[in-house]
Amino acid sequence: MLLEPIVPTVLSLRRIPAADPALLVAYGADPTRHVALGLVTCDQDDALYVALDEATKHAAVDVVFARSFYAGSAHASGRLSGEILGVIAAAEPQAIEDGLAALVACLAHDACFYDADGQRGITMFPHVIGALGAYLSRAAGLPAGEPMAYLVAPPMEATIGFDAALKAASVRAVKLVPPPTETNFACAWLTGIAPGDLASCEAAATAFAAAVVDVAARPRTR
Amino acid sequence: MSGTRALIAALRERLGAADPAPPRVPMPVVPAPPARVYVPRREPARGDAGGARHTTALLAIGHVGTRYATDVVLQFQAELAVAHEAVAAEVPDGWAADHGFLPLSSRVASHREFLLRPDLGRRLAPDSLQRLRDQAERSPDVQIILADGLSATACVDSGPALCAALAAACQQRGLSVGTPVCARFARVWLEDEIGHEVGAKVAVIVLGERPGLGTGDGLSAYLVHGPQIGKTDGDRNMMSNIHERGTPPPQAAERLAALAAAMIEQGTSGVGLDLARVAGEVERGYRPPQVRQRLVEP
């Protein structure tokens, strides 16, 4: 069904209340500040990146590790692997619980891919983050609390969509990642030229989604 | 939650999609955890409450839920701060000379080194040793040494008064007293070298004692007969808790003088000293229970 939300599936969700320091170091945590870990795999990498960022807004957690797996969840290494492993770290297990609760709620009700051709043959992620958390704001080099459009689609659709999004509103590209990425999608992070301009981010995301649907319906033009 | 779902639903409407969109999954209602209010509870009288009147130890302090009451924690932190401050304090430069003491110093160069190297605090610096040889009176019966020890606060506040009272008490017993000296960054065993250099029969070092909770003003006195390097703690007699809430300085001076006189009479100190023979003078009688000083209002 066209533009239907495809709700991500949490494939595994585990806690380590007191992780070994060697493990903490290997996964990018700081053994002097972090004790507990929360680990999650999901079948949608970009939805989980957004959900991890959401967790930093609700609990004293740091996203220490988040990596997409090659070729995406259709080619996963196991039925629990999906296409991403995300790790949050905190000084105490309760913060991990609070962070995971926010993360799971975000995956269930907010961040998701959408069906772009009515058959799930083409999917896209035209997500607008109202206020960036600690994780994505650092990755994007933007102040926390800024709005940002997080746009993902397959190579051709994304390229046409990025162009449409950048022209549709007064936004600028924070980051443009041409294909291939680990999952062979392309990705763009856009934010308003004026700080805090959520409406422009939403207009850009809508234009992106419309362009992707258009490419899916008309792959060739003269 | 972002508005992305609504945005895409509106786009879907605009594009005229034929099939109806699936209903939104409602957000779950998460009940807030019940708020629990704990009322401070004092321990019922079980014997320890009575005991608490006789000590400054933390007895019968009650609890709030599974924790200490706030005023108990604040009082503890305030008392710990008093102790920290006393340890961190230093005797001001020139203070010893201004108060009529011959200023000496151990081999320690800095306060941090003083805390880390007790061995250096037990020996005189070369220039101090020379000053002691040049200026100190020789062969007194009792050599009184004031020192900072682990609480310069106590040394500066009540040290001069105790030393003066002790000197007066010794002279009253017919004992000669050497030049008053004040040693900086000093440990107890420094009295061995100083006492030996001046040829004293008995050396007494009065120094700020390791602060406990809320007691940064306590002095201790250590006495040794025939001081010389190599004396052990078994050769010493000591008196601690010399402050207003413990043994007041005037009373302490009398007892210390009695101890010094007994050492000279018996020719020994420490475990060899027969305290039974001076029991009447140095034994402590009944002392009223100490009152805990409130640093925080409950």
Side-chain angles (χ1 to χ4, degrees):
Chain A
M1 190 164 55
L2 186 66
L3 292 176
E4 181 190 8
I6 304 169
V7 177
T9 308
V10 176
L11 296 167
S12 61
L13 182 68
R14 296 288 302 243
R15 292 92 167 149
I16 304 180
D20 187 273
L23 188 75
L24 289 173
V25 169
Y27 280 73
D30 176 0
T32 62
R33 292 192 297 122
H34 298 134
V35 174
L37 295 180
L39 306 97
V40 57
T41 60
C42 177
D43 63 350
Q44 294 183 11
D45 62 344
D46 295 296
L48 187 63
Y49 287 124
V50 169
L52 287 165
D53 187 54
E54 183 76 11
T56 66
K57 293 192 270 181
H58 292 261
V61 296
D62 293 319
V63 178
V64 294
F65 182 93
R67 295 279 296 273
S68 300
F69 301 145
Y70 298 112
S73 54
H75 306 278
S77 55
R79 63 186 165 83
L80 301 182
S81 310
E83 63 182 24
I84 182 171
L85 170 66
V87 181
I88 57 175
E92 42 148 19
Q94 187 55 49
I96 295 288
E97 288 307 318
D98 297 344
L100 288 178
L103 180 151
V104 168
C106 180
L107 286 178
H109 301 283
D110 190 9
C112 68
F113 272 76
Y114 292 84
D115 183 357
D117 66 350
Q119 299 154 31
R120 301 201 177 184
I122 296 170
T123 59
M124 62 173 167
F125 188 77
H127 192 79
V128 179
I129 299 170
L132 286 170
Y135 170 55
L136 285 182
S137 67
R138 200 176 55 195
L142 291 173
E146 279 293 300
M148 187 176 90
Y150 189 137
L151 311 176
V152 176
M156 173 61 83
E157 298 86 324
T159 311
I160 303 296
F162 295 160
D163 184 60
L166 285 164
K167 289 171 178 169
S170 60
V171 290
R172 64 184 173 90
V174 177
K175 192 165 112 172
L176 275 177
V177 186
T181 58
E182 283 96 332
T183 52
N184 292 326
F185 279 71
C187 170
W189 290 350
L190 312 182
T191 191
I193 290 170
D197 189 355
L198 177 62
S200 288
C201 292
E202 290 184 342
T206 307
F208 171 79
V212 171
V213 169
D214 183 56
V215 174
R218 302 185 300 130
R220 294 161 183 251
T221 54
R222 290 182 67 85
Chain B
M1 294 292 139
S2 73
T4 309
R5 295 260 178 125
L7 275 182
I8 301 300
L11 175 64
R12 187 169 186 280
E13 201 83 354
R14 217 173 70 207
L15 295 178
D19 39 3
R24 290 207 63 172
V25 183
M27 288 285 286
V29 178
V30 182
R36 295 184 65 180
V37 177
Y38 292 103
V39 181
R41 268 178 51 194
R42 293 294 162 189
E43 290 289 335
R46 213 180 49 203
D48 50 359
R53 289 201 305 273
H54 298 279
T55 175
T56 54
L58 292 170
L59 295 185
I61 52 175
H63 60 89
V64 182
T66 56
R67 306 183 182 198
Y68 298 128
T70 304
D71 66 305
V72 171
V73 176
L74 291 177
Q75 171 79 13
F76 179 86
Q77 288 173 341
E79 290 178 346
L80 194 59
V82 168
H84 280 201
E85 213 160 77
V87 172
E90 291 183 42
V91 175
D93 287 327
W95 179 89
D98 293 346
H99 289 74
F101 292 94
L102 178 62
L104 301 176
S105 178
S106 72
R107 294 185 184 179
V108 171
S110 70
H111 187 262
R112 183 168 168 73
E113 188 178 56
F114 173 60
L115 295 179
L116 294 175
R117 294 287 304 270
D119 54 330
L120 295 181
R122 291 171 181 156
R123 295 299 302 273
L124 277 177
D127 57 332
S128 287
L129 183 58
Q130 197 54 49
R131 196 176 311 128
L132 183 68
R133 284 174 178 162
D134 293 345
Q135 300 181 26
E137 199 179 314
R138 294 276 154 177
S139 306
D141 289 330
V142 179
Q143 174 64 46
I144 299 172
I145 305 151
L146 179 62
D148 48 3
L150 286 172
S151 173
T153 314
C155 166
V156 169
D157 287 352
S158 46
L162 179 61
C163 287
L166 177 56
C170 287
Q171 281 158 348
Q172 210 171 11
R173 289 169 185 271
L175 303 176
S176 65
V177 176
T179 310
V181 301
C182 178
R184 185 179 171 82
F185 295 143
R187 298 276 175 175
V188 171
W189 290 16
L190 191 67
E191 68 177 343
D192 295 339
E193 185 170 13
I194 295 175
H196 182 68
E197 282 300 329
V198 301
K201 288 180 185 158
V202 169
V204 186
I205 188 165
V206 173
L207 74 181
E209 67 188 356
R210 187 189 311 275
L213 284 181
T215 58
D217 57 349
L219 286 167
S220 289
Y222 292 77
L223 301 85
V224 63
H225 182 266
Q228 63 180 45
I229 290 169
K231 289 281 185 181
T232 70
D233 284 339
D235 299 314
R236 288 174 227 281
N237 292 78
M238 69 88 64
M239 182 181 294
S240 63
N241 275 315
I242 306 176
H243 52 83
E244 283 309 324
R245 299 174 313 288
T247 304
Q251 206 177 339
E254 286 301 326
R255 288 190 199 148
L256 290 171
L259 265 179
M263 286 177 180
I264 292 171
E265 185 196 330
Q266 296 182 30
T268 183
S269 62
V271 293
L273 189 70
D274 184 2
L275 285 172
R277 285 158 62 183
V278 284
E281 288 175 295
V282 301
E283 282 290 295
R284 201 180 76 187
Y286 172 76
R287 188 163 78 193
Q290 293 191 29
V291 181
R292 192 171 198 85
Q293 198 182 349
R294 295 300 310 186
L295 301 173
V296 176
E297 289 304 317

